[in-house]
Amino acid sequence: MPGSDELVALYDQAGSVVGTTTRARVREDALWHAAGVVLVRSGDGSAVYVHLRTAVKDVFPSTWDCWAGGVVAAGETPAECARRELAEELGVHGVDPVPLFTKVYDDGRNRCHNFAFEVRWDGPIHHQAEEIVEGRWLPLEELRAWVEDPAPELPFIPDGREGVQEWFRRYG
């Protein structure tokens, strides 16, 4: 698995950093960790950028997502992670992600504190080929219908679904 020896921040169930470990160990032992995730909205706020994850992702491959993000590295804050992932995955630079909330996701195999952020962006999007197959802007109403559908035609990432449902409860 690419990046399996990468050092990441190890969290406890309460959401505090308790050490570091490898990304592989987090996956193998279902350890608590954190991610910085960013909802990219159009400048007028009416649409969200959604993208299809590659088939080689280590969790939830070949699923659609509306959050650019990734695992918090050792020594990194969730905000730093969010900025880094936004630049790496979508090529978005020069914006400061606004903190929204933390959404805990635990399906027994993946235990993560998703630190959610938001940006407004009308500039170009440049996909990181190793992580993203394709993407597009989607009106908020269509995104809401997609994530509320119990059996959508296109697979949506489970933790991202829960995160955007929380976003809609709070802001939409």
Side-chain angles (χ1 to χ4, degrees):
M1 166 178 22
S4 63
D5 59 350
E6 167 190 9
L7 283 180
V8 300
L10 183 64
Y11 279 66
D12 64 15
Q13 188 172 359
S16 298
V17 177
V18 294
T20 62
T21 190
T22 63
R23 182 184 194 99
R25 185 160 172 257
V26 163
R27 300 299 186 216
E28 289 165 9
D29 297 337
L31 299 176
W32 281 99
H33 60 289
V37 298
V38 185
L39 189 69
V40 180
R41 293 178 66 194
S42 58
D44 67 4
S46 67
V48 169
Y49 196 79
V50 297
H51 60 274
L52 178 60
R53 296 162 58 91
T54 62
V56 296
K57 295 290 288 178
D58 60 341
V59 293
F60 308 123
S62 300
T63 55
W64 285 87
D65 199 354
C66 63
W67 301 92
V71 176
V72 175
E76 184 177 53
T77 68
E80 291 167 338
C81 174
R83 274 191 295 283
R84 175 179 54 79
E85 291 287 344
L86 186 60
E88 287 175 4
E89 289 185 3
L90 299 180
V92 175
H93 299 272
V95 291
D96 285 322
V98 176
L100 298 174
F101 54 83
T102 303
K103 180 72 172 117
V104 174
Y105 181 79
D106 181 1
D107 67 6
R109 277 192 13 230
N110 300 292
R111 296 183 164 101
C112 189
H113 300 277
N114 285 315
F115 289 85
F117 297 82
E118 180 180 313
V119 298
R120 299 284 181 107
W121 182 256
D122 284 324
I125 301 285
H126 301 286
H127 298 150
Q128 181 180 26
E130 298 82 13
E131 299 209 19
I132 297 175
V133 175
E134 63 178 283
R136 65 179 180 269
W137 290 100
L138 190 68
L140 284 173
E141 306 78 40
E142 291 181 34
L143 178 61
R144 182 190 299 266
W146 190 0
V147 300
E148 295 299 332
D149 185 342
E153 183 179 326
L154 299 174
F156 204 91
I157 190 168
D159 63 336
R161 175 187 303 277
E162 287 186 14
V164 79
Q165 287 172 334
E166 180 67 22
W167 183 89
F168 278 122
R169 277 191 286 281
R170 292 178 183 232
Y171 307 105

